[in-house]
Amino acid sequence: MFSTENIKVIALGEIIIQTNHSARILETYHPPTYYFPPNCVKEQFLRKNNVRPSFCEWKGIASYYNIKVGEKTINNSIWAYPNPSECFKEIAGWYAVYPQLMDSCWVNTEKVEAQKGGFYGGWITSRIQGPFKGDPEHPELI
């Protein structure tokens, strides 16, 4: 679950996350989603929003954040599980991002392709084989 891969996330022209300490979470028919501890995230760019929380049957209730840099904002672009289920307690308060909303996301030196679908936060690299949930070419997984 824990990863030492070099991760970089750029949003609105700023490096929001750069770390080699993350959690790499896998779910059925999904590419991995990376979660980052608060001390690896430039929290000065985050704004908690009032969007309705979502529920994951495995992790629990997620809270959402906007990224704000200067006058620019990316709404609902980051989420966290403040009080996840017992199985995921190690990522309590850790952040995850939607790669499709970022300028770019990187795993080591490889640029990430975002998982298709507005709700999914998977990170696709050359090491990952599909098909994945959200891919319109595979409606059986949607």
Side-chain angles (χ1 to χ4, degrees):
M1 173 161 119
F2 291 104
S3 173
T4 58
E5 295 169 300
N6 188 19
I7 304 291
K8 181 166 61 172
V9 176
I10 301 170
L12 300 174
E14 292 284 341
I15 297 173
I16 304 297
I17 300 166
Q18 187 160 15
T19 185
N20 61 359
H21 179 61
S22 61
R24 186 175 179 264
I25 306 292
L26 296 170
E27 295 182 33
T28 307
Y29 292 108
H30 287 267
T33 299
Y34 287 84
Y35 287 80
F36 309 99
N39 66 341
C40 296
V41 178
K42 293 184 179 175
E43 291 183 295
Q44 70 266 28
F45 296 121
L46 304 188
R47 305 288 184 273
K48 190 162 185 341
N49 65 30
N50 296 323
V51 72
R52 182 177 175 196
S54 65
F55 176 75
C56 169
E57 64 185 301
W58 304 111
K59 293 182 281 309
I61 298 173
S63 297
Y64 289 84
Y65 299 80
N66 302 334
I67 296 175
K68 183 168 177 47
V69 176
E71 296 301 314
K72 296 180 181 177
T73 301
I74 309 172
N75 292 318
N76 308 321
S77 50
I78 294 187
W79 74 94
Y81 292 94
N83 298 296
S85 65
E86 185 65 25
C87 293
F88 288 93
K89 66 183 178 185
E90 292 91 353
I91 63 163
W94 288 33
Y95 298 105
V97 305
Y98 289 109
Q100 65 268 35
L101 299 177
M102 305 297 117
D103 295 350
S104 62
C105 297
W106 300 81
V107 176
N108 297 318
T109 59
E110 185 175 356
K111 188 175 181 182
V112 169
E113 179 184 333
Q115 182 178 7
K116 291 183 170 105
F119 185 71
Y120 303 119
W123 295 42
I124 300 171
T125 62
S126 61
R127 298 183 308 171
I128 308 299
Q129 297 284 322
F132 305 113
K133 264 188 173 180
D135 185 341
E137 294 181 26
H138 293 277
E140 72 278 12
L141 301 178
I142 297 175

